[in-house]
Amino acid sequence: MKRKLYSLLLAGGLLFASACNNLDDFLDSPNEVTANTADPSWVLNNVQVAFSGQFNTLSQFGMQITRILSQPNVNWANAYFAQTMNGTWNTSYATILADIKFLEELNETNPIPRHLAYANVIKALVLMNLVDYLGDVPLSEALDPANFNPVVDSGEDVYKAAFDALTQAKALLATTTTNIPTDLYYGNNVTRWGKLIATLELKYHLNLKLKNAAASTAAINALIGSGNLMAEGDDFVFRYGTSQTNPDSRSPRFSQYGGGGGDYQSTWYMFHLTEAKGIPDPRVRYYMYRQVKVNPTDPDKLRCLGEIAPGHYLAGNFPFCLPNMTSTGKGYWGRDHLNNEGIPPDGFERTMYGLYPGGGRFDDDSAAPINSPTMGAGGAGLQPIMLAAYVDFMLAEAALTLGTTGDPKALLLSGIRKHMNFVRTFALGSAQASVVSGFYTNAAWGTLVDDYIALVGTQYDAAPTNRKLNIVAREYWLSLFGNGVEAYNLYRRTGQPDGMQPGLAVEVGLFPRSFLYPNDFVVTNKFAEQKANLGQRVFWDTNPEGNGWVY
């Protein structure tokens, strides 16, 4: 039987496509990519691009769950059901992991250590993401094209396999080679790949801290001592272009430009960016673009203007409808959490994605409608997969909860400054640079950042010992615009920032501690069993069950 090696399509339990029982009398297609005709760099390119898609989808879900974006359903069960993860499942197994397996097979006859090093880092990320969102998933039997019913491996074993992939990537990076691939992330900067690996090890051990605090403490201190964690300039991001067709290379968060509408921004997140501290977060004009500068007044366009806030909103003193319902409200127009109301004619008035990270417009108070796909940076945004700023927030959490090396307050403030610098640098390197620098000179921007950091430092000092983690988590959360993967993990790992805006309905069901298995897996694999509900915890989440921890 002829074996096709490239991008095996999943059928059965993982939708793996099998060959027929007897193909001896069939010829290979001259268009079929085989081990003899495949270019490993093209295969790796496919892996790199497909991973950006996996991250984007999971990030969207994570941002909705943690109120960074509005969740447009009335309850959790309606938001995330058995079909939700089909696309991510198929991309992960049929494309990314299958292509990496193909690269491993190509390496047997033509060594490609650099290709495999990058591929193993992405493999580690994919496996951790699958466990973080689904729990136990297939791995040991997953890539066997003759097995249509692969069993699931424990989340703990799959996580360990992810860590092993990072270890293998380190060894491969140290291997001398002249066979250099196209690197869409770091431009073949091996040093930066090494720092990313160390940082992903930090992420791994931080997520495991609830299972074995002593082991996580020792491992994180060793990583700190190595001096090899990501620093400014080492950020791991996927960058988009501006081409509209053949193919469309723009950020998926730019798709609303020209047509209006798209995702609703979160009232709760915008409240924290504009009202909660008494001064605006300096990043809000980069994150969000307002199409109006004053609050709407027409209930036909924003129905909640004519309504009284739900009783549980009033009891908890949560913002309702708009971040600021008074006459001083500045037009930050989105939706409350778990709002499934119909869509009114507000597409060219509601608040949109801005310059960072979606590649749209910087908010310079022009308040022009987003009616052209050429506006702003034209879609040249990015996916902030792992940033140097995130390292400081993770280390601040570790210092507070595990007692690892470092001053948590200094790490907190450093993380904020690094993220402010990253957003500003991105903006000044974009097509909106003149608009940004014209609105905020470097001196004015520096003052805003200094004032914000000073305020957070004061709040941290004033917080009781058992509330300092909330300050760290809140500021990390505010720096995670565009990265729902880390926001989702942070929220389940720490329960912070707590006091989140609830759904509009009183009863919204169990908070998704993990997602249901994809329908494509459950209905085609005789060994697959669907979870009882969304409340099933992943292996590293040992926090209390139910909605008392997160909701």
Side-chain angles (χ1 to χ4, degrees):
M1 182 174 67
K2 306 289 186 182
R3 186 179 182 200
K4 305 307 180 189
L5 296 174
Y6 179 60
S7 290
L8 297 172
L9 297 175
L10 298 172
L14 294 174
L15 298 184
F16 277 48
S18 70
C20 298
N21 289 334
N22 188 347
L23 294 180
D24 290 341
D25 51 351
F26 284 83
L27 296 175
D28 284 342
S29 166
N31 297 318
E32 188 79 39
V33 180
T34 68
N36 293 325
T37 61
D39 181 340
S41 290
W42 283 104
V43 180
L44 180 61
N45 286 353
N46 196 49
V47 168
Q48 294 178 87
V49 173
F51 173 67
S52 73
Q54 192 227 39
F55 177 84
N56 176 69
T57 299
L58 295 181
S59 187
Q60 181 81 1
F61 297 154
M63 286 195 290
Q64 291 172 338
I65 288 172
T66 59
R67 283 71 151 182
I68 293 175
L69 290 179
S70 172
Q71 168 49 253
N73 288 276
V74 69
N75 58 42
W76 291 122
N78 283 5
Y80 305 112
F81 39 90
Q83 288 77 23
T84 299
M85 292 292 284
N86 280 343
T88 294
W89 185 268
N90 297 331
T91 296
S92 300
Y93 286 104
T95 301
I96 302 173
L97 296 178
D99 281 0
I100 292 173
K101 183 173 185 287
F102 182 45
L103 287 172
E104 292 169 348
E105 292 167 343
L106 290 177
N107 184 66
E108 293 173 3
T109 56
N110 178 28
I112 46 173
R114 189 70 61 80
H115 294 71
L116 281 183
Y118 302 163
N120 269 283
V121 175
I122 292 174
K123 178 180 180 179
L125 282 162
V126 168
L127 293 179
M128 284 195 281
N129 286 348
L130 287 171
V131 173
D132 290 343
Y133 278 73
L134 289 164
D136 299 343
V137 293
L139 180 61
S140 59
E141 298 180 0
L143 299 176
D144 179 359
N147 185 351
F148 304 150
N149 299 284
V151 298
V152 298
D153 296 83
S154 72
E156 193 162 7
D157 286 346
V158 178
Y159 238 56
K160 178 60 167 58
F163 189 84
D164 291 344
L166 294 174
T167 301
Q168 185 176 0
K170 278 190 283 190
L172 289 164
L173 283 177
T175 303
T176 301
T177 182
T178 57
N179 197 343
I180 306 300
T182 302
D183 175 5
L184 303 180
Y185 290 91
Y186 282 136
N188 284 301
N189 187 315
V190 173
T191 300
R192 287 181 175 171
W193 277 101
K195 290 184 176 183
L196 171 64
I197 290 170
T199 300
L200 294 180
E201 290 175 341
L202 168 63
K203 167 180 170 168
Y204 171 90
H205 290 298
L206 190 62
N207 275 351
L208 292 181
K209 71 175 185 177
L210 299 175
K211 295 286 291 184
N212 190 332
S216 289
T217 301
I220 292 172
N221 276 335
L223 288 167
I224 294 170
S226 75
N228 200 39
L229 293 170
M230 290 167 62
E232 287 187 285
D234 297 324
D235 309 281
F236 186 65
V237 303
F238 184 85
R239 296 184 183 273
Y240 294 97
T242 58
S243 174
Q244 297 183 36
T245 56
N246 298 322
D248 188 335
S249 68
R250 299 171 298 173
S251 165
R253 307 204 186 284
F254 187 76
S255 60
Q256 60 189 294
Y257 277 67
D263 293 328
Y264 276 100
Q265 301 302 325
S266 162
T267 299
W268 182 241
Y269 201 65
M270 291 191 292
F271 169 75
H272 276 275
L273 289 168
T274 61
E275 301 291 336
K277 294 186 180 74
I279 63 172
D281 188 309
R283 294 165 292 193
V284 67
R285 290 181 180 271
Y286 301 83
Y287 287 4
M288 315 283 183
Y289 180 82
R290 293 168 302 155
Q291 298 184 90
V292 296
K293 292 191 294 183
V294 296
N295 282 352
T297 57
D298 184 356
D300 288 335
K301 291 185 177 179
L302 188 60
R303 180 171 139 185
C304 54
L305 290 173
E307 298 175 346
I308 298 174
H312 57 296
Y313 271 52
L314 294 171
N317 198 31
F318 291 104
F320 169 70
C321 193
L322 294 164
N324 181 343
M325 284 284 282
T326 73
S327 59
T328 62
K330 295 180 171 60
Y332 287 99
W333 175 346
R335 280 203 165 182
D336 296 312
H337 184 49
L338 290 171
N339 181 343
N340 71 332
E341 294 174 352
I343 307 299
D346 64 356
F348 292 110
E349 293 169 296
R350 71 175 81 155
T351 299
M352 312 286 271
Y353 288 114
L355 175 58
Y356 176 89
R361 292 196 70 175
F362 174 78
D363 187 346
D364 62 348
D365 285 334
S366 60
I370 300 299
N371 56 14
S372 169
T374 62
M375 298 180 104
L382 56 77
Q383 295 284 0
I385 301 167
M386 182 56 68
L387 305 183
Y390 301 169
V391 173
D392 288 353
F393 290 114
M394 288 190 285
L395 291 178
E397 176 191 332
L400 280 173
T401 60
L402 296 172
T404 54
T405 303
D407 176 355
K409 178 184 176 183
L411 288 163
L412 161 66
L413 301 185
S414 173
I416 298 171
R417 187 174 296 278
K418 283 181 181 177
H419 194 258
M420 298 276 186
N421 291 344
F422 180 78
V423 171
R424 175 76 171 179
T425 299
F426 166 79
L428 294 180
S430 75
Q432 289 271 278
S434 61
V435 178
V436 173
S437 59
F439 192 85
Y440 285 145
T441 64
N442 287 336
W445 171 252
T447 298
L448 289 174
V449 172
D450 289 344
D451 289 348
Y452 182 90
I453 289 174
L455 176 58
V456 173
T458 300
Q459 291 180 340
Y460 183 89
D461 290 338
T465 300
N466 65 350
R467 294 299 293 163
K468 292 186 185 298
L469 179 59
N470 183 66
I471 305 294
V472 170
R474 182 194 70 195
E475 295 306 312
Y476 191 12
W477 175 69
L478 288 170
S479 299
L480 285 169
F481 193 63
N483 189 326
V485 172
E486 299 308 326
Y488 186 36
N489 286 346
L490 169 71
Y491 193 41
R492 289 176 296 169
R493 192 172 63 236
T494 68
Q496 306 294 323
D498 59 8
M500 289 277 202
Q501 185 189 46
L504 286 177
V506 174
E507 296 295 335
V508 295
L510 282 172
F511 177 87
R513 299 290 277 271
S514 69
F515 282 59
L516 297 180
Y517 284 123
N519 192 61
D520 285 346
F521 171 59
V522 173
V523 302
T524 59
N525 187 318
K526 66 182 181 181
F527 297 130
E529 293 184 9
Q530 185 57 274
K531 299 175 185 179
N533 51 55
L534 292 168
Q536 306 302 300
R537 297 168 295 173
V538 300
F539 85 97
W540 53 256
D541 178 6
T542 63
N543 288 311
E545 291 183 296
N547 287 12
W549 181 254
V550 283
Y551 55 91

